[in-house]
Amino acid sequence: MEKIKLSDINFDALKKLNHQGTKSTLYDNGDTCIKIFNELYKEEKVALYKKFLEMEGIQINGVLLPIDVIVENDRLEGFTMSNFKNSVPLFDAFTTTRYVDCAEILKAMKKASLILRKIHKNGIICQDLSFDNILINQEGIINYCDIDSCTYNERMSPYLSILLKRFMVDYKKMKLCMVSKNLDRVSMLLSFYIVMYLKEIQKISKKEYHSLSDHIATLENARKYANMLLSSRNIPEVPYLDELISDFDEGIIDRQKQISIVRRIFRR
């Protein structure tokens, strides 16, 4: 892993990417992307640097891992990774148009879940797993980004999926527990529901659930685990999403109808 001096980078010649991190700035550098940390404490940078060095050599198809580190006075300031051009977050790809093909959603979700299996097999826990951190291009190729927020060799980061935090802490009133592969799977399931229904799982009524699950076998397969998540005092073990996905599901989801349902409920 090569070291690049922060002062050697001509940021005036670089263009910022359309999608930015909450605590970092991303730049387009041709075939590579440059990520600069904005709000990490010194101790966090030290820990992250060590984690990067320990992860050196790991290669996972479908994951944008660090290539080189960017330093200043031997302190980590950022890193480079492959530039996954013409891609958008998985969430945006399936929630920003009125009509969305159910089969295309499930196809992408299955690919993302199979990549997650490979990530776990390499001893990595995503920790901050969300469909904002998983990218898809027009050819349907999937890549995980923001892998710097992962846990590796028990080196954790201060980040956790927002959906997981909202579900566990805000809704279930649970204390945040140690990160695990299961929490990654739970985060993916929570993200899946918000893409399908445009609502967090704890806000989906039974009537709304059946509006899609009566026609989509995957949602019927997942219903057991949705109920377990909502009713259990603890976070239950859930399977990888690809285990629940039916390859025979099809149909078009009209987002306008879903929004209308939300508005009607809101007016009550």
Side-chain angles (χ1 to χ4, degrees), residues 65-93:
L65 289 161
I67 299 173
D68 296 318
V69 292
I70 298 169
V71 299
E72 191 68 19
N73 298 322
D74 210 32
R75 184 174 64 189
L76 183 70
E77 297 294 341
F79 64 95
T80 67
M81 56 186 169
S82 295
N83 190 356
F84 189 38
K85 297 180 180 180
N86 302 316
S87 63
V88 297
L90 206 54
F91 180 80
D92 292 354

Side-chain angles (χ1 to χ4, degrees), residues 57 68 79 102 118 124 141 163 173 196:
D68 296 318
F79 64 95
C102 173
K118 292 190 290 185
I124 300 170
I141 299 172
L163 276 180
K173 307 301 180 185
M196 295 301 291

Side-chain angles (χ1 to χ4, degrees), residues 4 7 32 37 40 52 66 75 97 118 120 147 159 181 187 189 195 205 208 230 254 268:
I4 300 172
S7 56
T32 60
F37 302 120
L40 286 188
F52 280 175
R75 184 174 64 189
T97 57
K118 292 190 290 185
H120 287 168
I147 204 68
Y159 305 111
K181 295 177 182 178
S187 291
L189 192 58
V195 165
S205 69
E208 287 175 292
L230 291 168
D254 184 346
R268 290 176 184 174

Side-chain angles (χ1 to χ4, degrees), residues 56-160:
E56 187 174 8
I58 295 177
Q59 293 184 338
I60 306 171
N61 188 28
V63 183
L64 302 178
L65 289 161
I67 299 173
D68 296 318
V69 292
I70 298 169
V71 299
E72 191 68 19
N73 298 322
D74 210 32
R75 184 174 64 189
L76 183 70
E77 297 294 341
F79 64 95
T80 67
M81 56 186 169
S82 295
N83 190 356
F84 189 38
K85 297 180 180 180
N86 302 316
S87 63
V88 297
L90 206 54
F91 180 80
D92 292 354
F94 295 113
T95 61
T96 55
T97 57
R98 176 172 178 178
Y99 299 105
V100 59
D101 189 334
C102 173
E104 290 301 312
I105 294 177
L106 297 178
K107 188 182 196 179
M109 302 300 168
K110 186 172 184 178
K111 288 180 182 178
S113 181
L114 291 173
I115 294 171
L116 180 62
R117 287 178 179 270
K118 292 190 290 185
I119 291 171
H120 287 168
K121 190 175 181 179
N122 278 274
I124 300 170
I125 297 172
C126 293
Q127 194 171 318
D128 185 17
L129 191 156
S130 78
F131 288 166
D132 285 326
N133 294 335
I134 303 176
L135 307 176
I136 184 170
N137 67 8
Q138 293 180 343
E139 288 73 44
I141 299 172
I142 302 284
N143 268 301
Y144 281 64
C145 63
D146 285 349
I147 204 68
D148 47 292
S149 61
C150 74
T151 290
Y152 184 74
N153 278 353
E154 299 184 356
R155 295 191 186 277
M156 300 172 61
S157 80
Y159 305 111
L160 194 70

